[in-house]
Amino acid sequence: MELPEIDYEGLDNDSIAINMLAGAMAGIAEHAVLFPVDMIKTRMQVLQTSPSAVYTSMADAFTRISTQEGGKRLWRGVASVIAGAGPAHAVYFGTYEIAKEFAGGNANGYSFAATASAGALATVASDALMNPFDVVKQRMQVHGSVFRTVASCFRSVYKAEGLSAFYVSYPTTLMMTVPFTAVQFSTYEKLKDVFNPSQVYSPLTHVTAGGIAGGVAAAVTTPLDICKTLLQTRGASDDQQIRKARGMSDAFKIIYARQGVLGFTRGMAPRVLSNMPSNALCWLSYEGFRFLLKGKPETPSRRRDAQ
């Protein structure tokens, strides 16, 4: 007996709970699995005065961190990401689906305006939750970090720099993540329509479209990510100019003065290489969890009969 095709995108709109739960599980899976690559990206982006903390390539960073600091060092800070990624991604995907529906993105096929605006709104909400965890993660990732636990890092940063330390990079983060998410979501939705015009549930489509969308968005926003990294790790720097940086303008001036235009491309390779599989995994996990959480869906023939 031939099984009917499942028109995945034509199913009734999911409940907010399903979208948020699927998003939380996808976020944890995405960030945890590829954390070592994120560690290398952070190390390559941070401006350091110590030659031992300057890396020439991803392979150089991986080899030196593993041999000089131990393999476990590549995972330091992962607990902060896991703690923040669950609730942040729940808000992220929940907000995206609600906003896309409100903007009419589910009514008449692909709409760049609907998906881009919904993605931008989603990242504003989720980054407000994730930013403090991201700051702690990067403070634990930098060369010479003395922090061993998330709790001790939170306490130390708060005591030394106050609550503002967890949000000093938030405007810069939004300047990066809003365009990143707009590009990512609009590219993903467009590629999904191109690769899977029948709109049946297709894991291969989600992996491919998600990976390409993540790579494109990551490359476009790398300069902003470098500025964000400088601001989030300023408290761990021994450079007084970096420690006194207060925002995007200061970060941009410091990077340009020291390394020129090429300074804004540092870490692009690991950023793109980490975002492609992480976005592929995120979309695969999100769409897969959402599909499983729905239970048995309605088939196309049953819907047509009901119309």
Side-chain angles (χ1 to χ4, degrees):
M1 178 180 178
E2 186 177 350
L3 294 175
E5 272 191 337
I6 297 172
D7 185 2
Y8 174 67
E9 295 298 328
L11 299 174
D12 293 336
N13 291 331
D14 304 328
S15 71
I16 182 64
I18 287 178
N19 288 327
M20 294 183 75
L21 181 57
M25 291 187 287
I28 292 172
E30 169 198 355
H31 287 286
V33 171
L34 294 164
F35 188 81
V37 182
D38 182 75
M39 157 73 83
I40 292 172
K41 182 213 73 169
T42 298
R43 288 291 188 92
M44 293 182 70
Q45 287 184 342
V46 173
L47 291 176
Q48 291 281 5
T49 57
S50 171
S52 63
V54 178
Y55 308 98
T56 59
S57 66
M58 286 184 65
D60 177 51
F62 177 81
T63 302
R64 287 168 55 191
I65 293 171
S66 300
T67 56
Q68 297 174 10
E69 303 175 51
K72 290 183 179 180
R73 189 67 178 83
L74 291 166
W75 294 94
R76 185 178 296 175
V78 69
S80 180
V81 167
I82 292 174
H89 275 68
V91 171
Y92 184 67
F93 281 105
T95 302
Y96 172 69
E97 295 294 351
I98 291 174
K100 188 174 73 165
E101 174 68 22
F102 182 79
N106 294 326
N108 300 308
Y110 173 77
S111 168
F112 173 81
T115 55
S117 59
L121 182 61
T123 199
V124 170
S126 65
D127 282 348
L129 288 176
M130 190 64 191
N131 214 77
F133 293 97
D134 201 39
V135 170
V136 169
K137 176 204 73 174
Q138 291 197 319
R139 291 294 181 93
M140 296 179 72
Q141 286 178 328
V142 295
H143 182 269
S145 175
V146 297
F147 302 116
R148 295 293 183 272
T149 67
V150 173
S152 67
C153 186
F154 261 112
R155 287 194 299 267
S156 179
V157 172
Y158 178 75
K159 183 178 180 180
E161 303 171 54
L163 183 63
S164 63
F166 297 108
Y167 285 98
V168 65
S169 63
Y170 183 56
T172 305
T173 298
L174 291 183
M175 289 182 68
M176 178 195 71
T177 56
V178 167
F180 177 93
T181 309
V183 171
Q184 183 214 162
F185 274 105
S186 56
T187 303
Y188 172 76
E189 295 284 0
K190 180 61 178 179
L191 291 176
K192 191 171 64 170
D193 282 351
V194 172
F195 295 156
N196 186 23
S198 62
Q199 298 299 312
V200 297
Y201 174 59
S202 170
L204 180 60
T205 294
H206 301 315
V207 167
T208 306
I212 295 173
V216 171
V220 169
T221 57
T222 292
L224 296 171
D225 187 52
I226 293 171
C227 291
K228 184 199 75 166
T229 298
L230 184 146
L231 292 172
Q232 290 192 161
T233 60
R234 61 178 187 163
S237 176
D238 56 4
D239 186 305
Q240 288 304 309
Q241 187 181 17
I242 292 177
R243 291 181 69 89
K244 292 178 181 178
R246 289 293 179 268
M248 180 70 170
S249 178
D250 288 348
F252 183 91
K253 290 175 182 177
I254 291 171
I255 295 167
Y256 184 75
R258 299 187 184 190
Q259 299 185 323
V261 175
L262 290 179
F264 295 100
T265 65
R266 287 182 297 110
M268 180 180 286
R271 177 167 163 76
V272 171
L273 291 176
S274 65
N275 270 278
M276 289 187 72
S278 69
N279 269 51
L281 177 59
C282 184
W283 280 110
L284 175 65
S285 302
Y286 173 65
E287 302 281 18
F289 284 131
R290 196 166 61 135
F291 177 73
L292 293 174
L293 289 169
K294 290 174 181 177
K296 187 175 181 179
E298 186 179 29
T299 65
S301 60
R302 285 166 56 193
R303 274 199 311 280
R304 284 194 295 269
D305 291 342
Q307 291 174 349

